Amino acid sequence: MSTATSLASLTGDYALDPVHSRIGFVARHAMVTKVRGSFDEFEGKAHLDGADPAKSSVSVTITTASVDTRNEQRDGHLRTNDFLDAPTFPHITFVSTAVEQLDDTTFRVSGDLTIKDVTRSVDIDFEFQGSATDPQGNLRVGLEGSVPISRKDYGITWNAALEGGGVLVGDKVVLEFDVSAVRQS
């Protein structure tokens, strides 16, 4: 869907479908490879205004203890104060402050990302993947987006020096959003 008329038909309130969505991240490891992970528990809601995207909004809450990199030892370390400090800061949040349509299918969602009680503004470009009515009769929309952040900006500074130079964990982390949202009645 790329016309304003078809986007206007999508106006409404939506809930993120955690079973068909992924909120993940990618970080450089040992200077030579990337580690991918995701958060298994999150919830979110959005108001989409297809006729006037600037009137759209979104909010997402992620459970930090649900971090999953497919390695329990690493996941346990990520939950400590060295990284996310899940016991003290159980949630990561994102609340939009503006939405701008960049072209027929791309939308920039600006907002406040809070990790470990540090809030910074980020701009996430989302590509509209389309809409469909599922077998249960629910209208779904799909969006994909990502944004690089500096983990140091959020007070996540733990690292280890490598023998040959460099560090174990890169500062840049790319947050990834593959979203399926269901319009609410």
Side-chain angles (χ1 to χ4, degrees):
M1 303 209 165
S2 61
T3 66
T5 304
S6 59
L7 288 176
S9 69
L10 301 177
T11 296
D13 294 319
Y14 289 77
L16 266 64
D17 176 358
V19 175
H20 296 100
S21 299
R22 177 181 176 273
I23 297 179
F25 58 90
V26 179
R28 182 72 57 190
H29 179 261
M31 309 289 293
V32 296
T33 190
K34 294 178 181 175
V35 168
R36 296 182 185 279
S38 61
F39 294 94
D40 295 334
E41 296 176 26
F42 55 87
E43 59 184 30
K45 59 185 179 179
H47 174 76
L48 303 182
D49 189 323
D52 186 358
K55 293 181 181 175
S56 299
S57 61
V58 63
S59 64
V60 177
T61 300
I62 301 165
T63 302
T64 54
S66 73
V67 66
D68 182 4
T69 64
R70 300 181 313 135
N71 180 291
E72 188 53 46
Q73 183 178 354
R74 178 174 46 227
D75 296 346
H77 191 198
L78 289 173
R79 292 179 187 112
T80 70
N81 190 41
D82 285 345
F83 291 95
L84 298 173
D85 194 2
T88 306
F89 305 104
H91 298 105
I92 295 169
T93 61
F94 175 80
V95 178
S96 67
T97 55
V99 176
E100 173 187 8
Q101 185 169 359
L102 301 179
D103 61 32
D104 284 350
T105 60
T106 308
F107 298 83
R108 177 163 294 149
V109 179
S110 301
D112 294 330
L113 176 66
T114 302
I115 302 172
K116 289 182 76 171
D117 234 10
V118 176
T119 302
R120 301 247 185 221
S121 291
V122 296
D123 296 323
I124 308 169
D125 289 350
F126 281 94
E127 186 75 25
F128 175 66
Q129 299 299 308
S131 66
T133 300
D134 67 22
Q136 291 76 36
N138 300 309
L139 177 65
R140 292 178 173 272
V141 296
L143 298 153
E144 293 179 1
S146 65
V147 61
I149 63 168
S150 163
R151 62 189 185 88
K152 290 178 186 172
D153 285 349
Y154 295 90
I156 304 172
T157 59
W158 181 90
N159 226 325
L162 297 175
E163 186 177 307
V167 291
L168 186 61
V169 183
D171 177 51
K172 180 177 125 180
V173 176
V174 177
L175 301 178
E176 302 172 322
F177 305 90
D178 298 312
V179 175
S180 177
V182 179
R183 185 157 63 186
Q184 304 299 287
S185 24

